[in-house]
Amino acid sequence: MAAPGARGCSLSGLLPAQTSLEYALLDAVTQEEKNSLVYQYLQKVDGWEQDLSVPEFPEGLEWLNTEGPISVYKDLCGKVVILDFFTYCCINCIHLLPDLHALEHNYSDKDGLLIVGVHSAKFPNEKVLDNIKSAVLRYDITHPVVNDADASLWQELEVSCWPTVVILGPRGNMLFSLIGEGHKDKLFLYTSVALKYYRDRGQIRDNKIGIKLYKDSLPPSPLLFPGKVTVDHVSKRLVIADTGHHRILVVRKNGQIQYSIGGPNPGRKDGIFSESTFNSPQGVAIRDNIIYVADTENHLIRKIDLEAEMVSTVAGIGIQGTDKEGGAQGEQQPISSPWDVVWGSSGSEVQRDAILWIAMAGTHQIWALLLDCCRLPKKTELKKGACLRFAGSGNEENRNNAYPHKAGFAQPSGLSLAAEEPWSCLFVADSESSTVRAVSLKDGAVRHLVGGERDPTNLFAFGDVDGVGIGAKLQHPLGAAWDKKRQLLYVADSYNHKIKVVDPKTKHCTTLAGTGDISNISSSFSESTFNEPGGLCVGEDGQLLYVADTNNHQIKVMDLETKTVSVFPVSGSGNAVVDGPILEGEQKTVPKLPKSAPTIQLCPLSAAPGQTVQFQLRLDLPAGAKLTEGAPSCWFLTAESNEWLLQGQMPSGEIESISNQPAISLQIPGDCLSPEAVVSISAFLYYCSADSSACMMKGILFRQPLQITDAQPGCTAPVELKYVF
């Protein structure tokens, strides 16, 4: 409802006056002239007989980053308010966030400014609060966000585009609207003058709004929103884009981190590994100890040299570009939100791996970075280092065409190369059109594979339907991986929380794994669950499919032969950093046990002060399995609410061998604070099964009740901690 005495309205009510202002601003030369024009505009709008008032936020909406629901006409009275109508999948909405971050840096709620994100979903999956929570974390949104799942405010104001910004005065009165991205100068101009105008009139209040950041309630995690994963087919190492930690991990097949490059905070710096920084990296490609990275929010392509241990920039200037043609040398060529990269060549080239193909999500195109002199289809010889558009007009649409520059994509987010005949193409996961497309390496022709519909302008043809071609439906797919052995394409159907498989010969698309439920279960293909998987790759000669299970903060391993899913363990080693710098001498944190870990309740044990109790681990692995070399199999001793028991004790240790497992000693203190206590021994084993090269982690918890008596300490047999996995 609107405030008393005001008129409800749509954004169209602002259009005549704001259009006149924007025409006048075109002729303004100095900043003083621009400020004066906006000030005069506000005098006019503020003098209207009735305000153009924004409706109140409906009751019952879910809020994030606040202590509770916010009211326009109570909490926000006396504030200049920016309403950001967004949906978290939209690349244009993502592009607006740095402008909002910069504005928040300049003005706080004490200065009279507050930004409120109004999440108005495009896809059904985006209406779910937990998914919005993940997006708020992923994009480091620190202002209040309301989940307007039914788009009530969107409809009442007749918003028509993501993103749309509406600037309100201190009475909930609408002042300005900005549609789309790329309006940073106007956003800052309108906001700063509005704050001055209403401050001059004594209408700005400096009260603080109750902010409670969602990210502050979360425990640390080895991975945070991993976006993409790829495998080095020579060394079998994985390269993980640990997107939320703003770093790249190079991980051995046993899960041990070999290199951690960048993080934990965003930045843009080349140089040695310990100094280099990234900003929400996504796509990664590795060959011959060289990794190329789509450094998405820096709008760069970065090169990691593992031998020299150096990071450099090979494309982009660090600012979002709008050029839809390209052609300059990489480090002089502006680019926009690269989301994935893949090594390859064009169909006309004999030389392999002379091109880095780029899914340029920000301009809805496929680009090429030339790693050597070569020729693209319908192009003359191009110089090494050139970076240019290969396919896509730049219009956001689902348009297939034999002429690559007339085709249209909608936020392409995943690439996979099928270089062999008869394919000779790039497969593209085109997220906003909910399709998978193929781009010919011979002539650049773009053709449809599965998903979407025939109308190229309809970007709402999504769903979750197994079928053939246009009869199959996907929901915002973000990743694709070609299985050369089986001649099949795997697709991360991200918003359906499934992994699907496409036969390009028949265009038949079926669910391979995932129930569609948003959870974290690793079991058989039919019973396992994912949460917005964003990337995937084929490894171990076609036996394994690695999946970046983004919102579960894990890498999953799908065994394509046994049809089972397991978690790929990621563990630190040496100087590799898992969650920021580890302080020397810092006590180890007890890892969280897997949900599937059994708990063994032991019989009560009597012990006396000064007595030493010994626990002997007797853990057995499945037949033929062995501990993973270099991975940190370990044990921990804890005593919740009775920490006095552990003073001066060794609380943890390694398990180096199954045939020679450690004995764990606990000496009962001389001064006991309680006659009864419970100690817990948790064990974590990393091992490889006999028939698979995938590494697994299993955990177990033993609980030992203690009854402490005054009897003379004696010798007791070790307590055997037995379990067969």
Side-chain angles (χ1 to χ4, degrees):
M1 54 183 274
R7 54 181 170 142
C9 58
S10 70
L11 295 181
S12 60
L14 285 173
L15 192 59
Q18 189 174 333
T19 301
S20 297
L21 167 66
E22 292 182 351
Y23 275 119
L25 286 170
L26 293 174
D27 297 326
V29 177
T30 67
Q31 190 62 46
E32 186 178 350
E33 286 178 291
K34 294 176 182 178
N35 291 346
S36 177
L37 285 169
V38 176
Y39 203 93
Q40 293 169 34
Y41 166 87
L42 287 171
Q43 288 176 317
K44 176 181 177 180
V45 171
D46 205 44
W48 286 344
E49 188 175 339
Q50 286 185 310
D51 287 337
L52 294 173
S53 296
V54 72
E56 180 62 277
F57 294 118
E59 290 185 7
L61 296 186
E62 300 163 313
W63 287 81
L64 293 173
N65 288 342
T66 67
E67 293 175 348
I70 288 177
S71 164
V72 173
Y73 295 104
K74 294 178 184 176
D75 305 297
L76 302 183
C77 183
K79 303 288 186 191
V80 170
V81 178
I82 293 177
L83 300 180
D84 172 28
F85 288 86
F86 77 110
T87 184
Y88 72 76
C89 72
C90 170
I91 193 68
N92 311 94
C93 300
I94 295 169
H95 288 164
L96 177 62
L97 290 175
D99 298 349
L100 298 179
H101 288 323
L103 200 60
E104 288 174 301
H105 181 75
N106 284 10
Y107 305 102
S108 69
D109 53 355
K110 286 188 70 67
D111 298 316
L113 178 72
L114 189 75
I115 298 172
V116 177
V118 184
H119 192 270
S120 311
K122 170 183 175 179
F123 294 100
N125 180 69
E126 294 177 313
K127 297 181 180 183
V128 179
L129 184 66
D130 281 346
N131 299 338
I132 301 170
K133 286 179 179 178
S134 294
V136 165
L137 289 173
R138 196 157 60 236
Y139 300 122
D140 196 26
I141 298 172
T142 55
H143 51 253
V145 172
V146 61
N147 180 16
D148 189 12
D150 295 326
S152 304
L153 218 54
W154 171 286
Q155 291 169 9
E156 285 204 52
L157 293 180
E158 296 180 10
V159 176
S160 61
C161 176
W162 294 284
T164 291
V165 166
V166 180
I167 303 178
L168 309 179
R171 302 185 300 275
N173 49 317
M174 293 197 293
L175 304 175
F176 308 93
S177 69
L178 296 168
I179 297 173
E181 60 171 296
H183 304 298
K184 182 178 180 180
D185 290 345
K186 285 182 183 176
L187 177 65
F188 273 69
L189 173 65
Y190 295 166
T191 302
S192 61
V193 177
L195 285 167
K196 174 175 172 35
Y197 176 85
Y198 286 108
R199 194 178 294 113
D200 290 348
R201 282 153 182 73
Q203 295 182 34
I204 295 295
R205 294 166 54 184
D206 63 359
N207 61 300
K208 289 189 72 64
I209 303 297
I211 300 294
K212 183 179 180 182
L213 297 183
Y214 172 63
K215 68 178 181 180
D216 291 343
S217 66
L218 296 175
S221 167
L223 297 175
L224 188 65
F225 302 108
K228 301 289 185 184
V229 60
T230 192
V231 65
D232 180 355
H233 294 289
V234 175
S235 67
K236 309 302 182 187
R237 294 174 297 184
L238 290 188
V239 180
I240 301 169
D242 189 11
T243 308
H245 285 141
H246 309 285
R247 65 180 180 171
I248 302 300
L249 298 180
V250 180
V251 184
R252 296 186 176 98
K253 59 186 286 187
N254 61 14
Q256 189 179 40
I257 297 173
Q258 183 182 14
Y259 299 103
S260 174
I261 309 155
N265 300 313
R268 176 195 155 202
K269 188 175 182 183
D270 290 337
I272 60 175
F273 282 3
S274 60
E275 296 179 354
S276 299
T277 52
F278 301 86
N279 192 350
S280 299
Q282 288 282 345
V284 282
I286 182 170
R287 189 153 299 168
D288 299 328
N289 281 320
I290 299 294
I291 301 170
Y292 286 99
V293 181
D295 192 5
T296 304
E297 293 195 19
N298 275 329
H299 310 287
L300 299 173
I301 302 296
R302 312 288 288 282
K303 177 184 176 181
I304 299 173
D305 187 325
L306 295 179
E307 290 184 355
E309 297 194 0
M310 293 288 291
V311 177
S312 57
T313 296
V314 293
I317 61 173
I319 299 170
Q320 183 192 343
T322 57
D323 183 0
K324 295 180 181 180
E325 295 287 341
Q329 285 290 293
E331 56 271 25
Q332 278 90 46
Q333 177 61 57
I335 60 175
S336 180
S337 298
W339 210 274
D340 203 5
V341 289
V342 65
W343 227 305
S345 59
S346 71
S348 60
E349 293 293 318
V350 176
Q351 183 183 356
R352 300 295 300 272
D353 307 329
I355 299 171
L356 187 74
W357 299 108
I358 306 167
M360 202 70 75
T363 55
H364 314 291
Q365 295 171 312
I366 307 301
W367 280 48
L369 173 65
L370 274 58
L371 306 178
D372 207 337
C373 297
C374 66
R375 187 191 306 271
L376 292 178
K378 303 179 182 178
K379 293 279 187 182
T380 56
E381 187 78 12
L382 295 165
K383 291 183 179 180
K384 178 181 178 180
C387 186
L388 69 164
R389 178 262 302 261
F390 175 56
S393 64
N395 297 325
E396 187 176 10
E397 54 188 5
N398 173 24
R399 189 178 299 278
N400 302 295
N401 201 291
Y403 295 95
H405 294 180
K406 292 185 177 180
F409 296 92
Q411 211 170 304
S413 301
L415 294 177
S416 190
L417 182 76
E420 70 274 17
E421 295 292 348
W423 312 112
S424 189
C425 71
L426 280 170
F427 291 111
V428 181
D430 197 38
S431 61
E432 281 291 273
S433 67
S434 295
T435 63
V436 177
R437 327 271 283 283
V439 184
S440 170
L441 296 176
K442 294 179 178 178
D443 58 13
V446 179
R447 62 183 177 86
H448 171 268
L449 198 60
V450 295
E453 69 146 66
R454 288 184 176 83
D455 179 357
T457 64
N458 182 4
L459 301 182
F460 288 80
F462 52 79
D464 183 9
V465 180
D466 289 353
V468 178
I470 219 163
K473 291 291 179 279
L474 309 170
Q475 189 181 174
H476 201 77
L478 289 173
W482 176 243
D483 184 343
K484 185 176 180 180
K485 176 181 174 182
R486 297 176 180 84
Q487 299 283 283
L488 295 172
L489 182 72
Y490 303 111
V491 178
D493 191 5
S494 305
Y495 284 8
N496 284 325
H497 316 287
K498 292 181 176 181
I499 305 302
K500 293 187 176 177
V501 58
V502 177
D503 184 342
K505 293 178 186 171
T506 62
K507 293 191 174 184
H508 200 261
C509 176
T510 55
T511 298
L512 180 66
T515 65
D517 295 332
I518 304 172
S519 62
N520 189 10
I521 298 171
S522 296
S523 182
S524 65
F525 279 9
S526 60
E527 296 175 341
S528 293
T529 57
F530 302 90
N531 191 347
E532 290 192 17
L536 66 177
C537 68
V538 177
E540 306 301 325
D541 298 319
Q543 181 182 344
L544 303 179
L545 184 66
Y546 294 99
V547 179
D549 194 5
T550 303
N551 285 2
N552 279 328
H553 315 294
Q554 292 175 332
I555 301 298
K556 295 286 180 59
V557 185
M558 294 175 58
D559 192 314
L560 297 170
E561 294 180 1
T562 64
K563 311 295 184 190
T564 56
V565 179
S566 60
V567 177
F568 182 79
V570 176
S571 57
S573 173
N575 295 323
V577 178
V578 174
D579 257 320
I582 298 173
L583 300 178
E584 213 169 299
E586 189 176 357
Q587 186 174 346
K588 280 187 179 180
T589 302
V590 181
K592 189 174 181 180
L593 281 161
K595 289 183 179 179
S596 59
T599 297
I600 308 296
Q601 192 74 28
L602 302 172
C603 295
L605 179 69
S606 295
Q611 181 178 346
T612 297
V613 178
Q614 280 208 330
F615 300 96
Q616 180 63 56
L617 285 173
R618 302 277 190 217
L619 305 176
D620 281 335
L621 299 177
K626 60 179 181 178
L627 287 182
T628 306
E629 187 179 346
S633 294
C634 53
W635 59 265
F636 288 85
L637 190 64
T638 56
E640 191 174 346
S641 303
N642 288 284
E643 286 77 8
W644 54 271
L645 263 174
L646 303 183
Q647 288 184 4
Q649 313 277 357
M650 183 178 289
S652 63
E654 294 186 359
I655 304 172
E656 297 179 351
S657 169
I658 283 294
S659 60
N660 186 22
Q661 297 179 43
I664 302 167
S665 297
L666 171 67
Q667 184 174 30
I668 307 300
D671 296 321
C672 295
L673 303 183
S674 172
E676 293 184 345
V678 176
V679 294
S680 297
I681 302 98
S682 52
F684 300 81
L685 295 183
Y686 296 84
Y687 66 90
C688 291
S689 61
D691 59 350
S692 173
S693 56
C695 185
M696 289 163 278
M697 188 272 273
K698 296 287 185 181
I700 186 168
L701 178 68
F702 297 92
R703 291 174 55 83
Q704 175 65 73
L706 293 176
Q707 296 173 346
I708 301 172
T709 67
D710 291 329
Q712 284 290 95
C715 293
T716 58
V719 178
E720 291 199 332
L721 306 179
K722 290 184 176 181
Y723 190 77
V724 179
F725 289 101

